[in-house]
Amino acid sequence: MIAAPAGRISDALFSGKTTVAAWRTKPSWYAVSKQDRTTATELERFLAQRMKATTIELDSGHLSLITHAEEIANLILQAARAAPASKPASVPSERDGGR
């Protein structure tokens, strides 16, 4: 039921092609779940290290987003504070025909 509120997945997710992984050029943050039985902890650590991510380790299973919400929220806030300010995306208006 966790995915239900997310809504429909875009078709572009399956048809688009990634040319460069964002973590190769952008700062990254990662939460390793030490009790995860879905994704191996060693794999999580490897991925975090490869992307040079700011990493926290939680005594949690796969659903650390739920079981350790405060720690995950703090990690997200840390990432948000570190991100450079950017211009808001342009939102089409009726005046320009929604384009």
Side-chain angles (χ1 to χ4, degrees), residues 14 32 34 38 45 55 61 63 66 77 79 83 93-94:
F14 300 105
V32 172
K34 296 191 291 185
T38 303
R45 287 183 182 125
T55 306
L63 298 177
I66 294 170
L77 290 171
S93 69
E94 290 182 32

Side-chain angles (χ1 to χ4, degrees), residues 25-77:
T25 58
K26 298 186 183 298
S28 301
W29 286 259
Y30 200 101
V32 172
S33 297
K34 296 191 291 185
Q35 304 301 321
D36 198 329
R37 295 189 311 186
T38 303
T39 305
T41 304
E42 295 80 18
L43 176 60
E44 293 182 31
R45 287 183 182 125
F46 166 77
L47 295 172
Q49 187 174 33
R50 181 173 69 170
M51 63 178 69
K52 298 178 178 78
T54 298
T55 306
I56 61 171
E57 293 209 7
L58 302 171
D59 192 22
S60 171
H62 192 68
L63 298 177
S64 60
L65 181 66
I66 294 170
T67 62
H68 290 73
E70 185 172 351
E71 292 95 326
I72 297 296
N74 288 334
L75 184 65
I76 293 168
L77 290 171

